[in-house]
DNA sequence: GTTCTTGCAAAGGATTTGCAACCCA
DNA sequence: TGGGTTGCAAATCCTTTGCAAGAAC
């Protein structure tokens, strides 16, 4: 974790180490509230917001938005780019590979390039059907 | 507009008529604030929130979320299901056909069915490059 | 010693809830 | 008339900003 921060030009601080550890251990996207709970030591929410914002810019965490109005963050280094499918009943979440590139060979007219994308699936898991 | 509301079991009220007219005329997703401006008569924001929620459930409007923390709504009846590409510089928006179904032949393991999805592209339009 | 970070307080902005008045069917 | 709707006020929730104290390098 320290090297990750140093290489990105960040200072190595306890809140950030614990933040990354919590995210890494979770292995799935977490909200700020969830991260706070998972971090052993209490940290200020504001610090989390600022750290996550910086880490997201640096590509160390991925920001995931599930149209819930609550941002979630996922530890990026351990997994290749991917998306998620979420059970609308129980919230169970699975990873889904990204096949978006396959059908965006050329940018839509009026656009010179596609820089990023959202893609999330929603459904019912086998336990909730 | 009236028939649309009636068929869905809603009462025909002025705020809802104006809301739908504004959305229809716009032809693209609008935020609550934008809708308020486009409606001739001033309406209460709360009424909009409630109406849009009901209309979205009924499928008369589509809710679009662009990870901005601000919900947008689009008049559904005039366009088939589609997605959007948004210029990250100027906000210009284009429609994109939905080809998601093509690569979700079978639901991911652990899931019995896929009920909905998000898909938004971000990029740079030809005027902003 | 600088400069980046943190934490606390407070502000900001979107959305929701409560409730009485209103009006469509 | 009765129940869905509206509008106003206030509350809630997530996120951002300001600023002084604290900690890395």
């Amino acid at each position: 974790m320290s090297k990750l921060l140093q290489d990105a030009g960040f200072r190595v601080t306890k809140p950030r180490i614990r933040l990354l550890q919590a995210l890494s251990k979770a292995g799935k996207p977490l909200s700020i509230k969830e991260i706070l709970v998972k971090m052993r030591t209490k940290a200020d929410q504001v610090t989390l917001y600022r750290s996550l914002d910086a880490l997201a810019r640096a590509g160390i965490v991925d920001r995931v938005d599930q149209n819930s109005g609550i941002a979630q963050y996922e530890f990026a280094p351990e997994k290749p780019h991917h998306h998620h499918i979420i059970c609308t009943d129980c919230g169970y979440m699975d990873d889904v590979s990204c096949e978006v590139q396959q059908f965006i060979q050329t940018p839509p007219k009026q656009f010179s390039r596609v820089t990023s994308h959202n893609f999330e699936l929603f459904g019912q898991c086998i336990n909730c059907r």
Side-chain angles (χ1 to χ4, degrees), chain A:
Chain A
M1 300 301 175
S2 300
K3 190 172 190 323
L4 212 52
L5 291 170
Q6 291 173 330
D7 289 353
F10 293 119
R11 290 189 176 170
V12 180
T13 67
K14 282 180 184 172
R16 284 181 177 166
I17 292 291
R18 295 220 184 78
L19 161 57
L20 290 179
Q21 287 176 334
L23 274 187
S24 171
K25 188 178 174 188
K28 63 172 189 178
L30 296 180
S31 66
I32 264 89
K33 289 284 170 62
E34 293 171 325
I35 295 172
L36 267 177
V37 173
K38 300 231 175 191
M39 286 172 69
R40 297 154 193 156
T41 316
K42 56 192 170 314
D44 196 303
Q45 277 198 31
V46 176
T47 299
L48 282 192
Y49 275 105
R50 288 193 269 227
S51 295
L52 286 168
D53 183 57
L55 292 170
R57 286 183 207 283
I60 297 176
V61 303
D62 284 327
R63 181 180 173 140
V64 182
D65 236 304
Q66 253 118 64
N67 288 15
S68 59
I70 302 175
Q72 295 185 308
Y73 295 88
E74 187 169 22
F75 189 60
E78 287 165 359
K79 284 184 187 178
H81 173 70
H82 64 282
H83 298 286
H84 306 92
I85 177 166
I86 302 97
C87 177
T88 52
D89 288 358
C90 71
Y92 173 77
M93 181 187 302
D94 239 2
D95 290 348
V96 173
S97 68
C98 177
E99 318 202 26
V100 172
Q101 302 305 332
Q102 291 184 14
F103 63 90
I104 318 177
Q105 307 87 341
T106 53
K109 57 224 158 288
Q110 302 302 317
F111 278 80
S112 60
R113 60 194 186 113
V114 177
T115 52
S116 66
H117 59 268
N118 280 346
F119 178 49
E120 305 293 333
L121 298 173
F122 300 92
Q124 253 186 334
C125 75
I126 51 181
N127 293 321
C128 289
R129 56 161 315 193

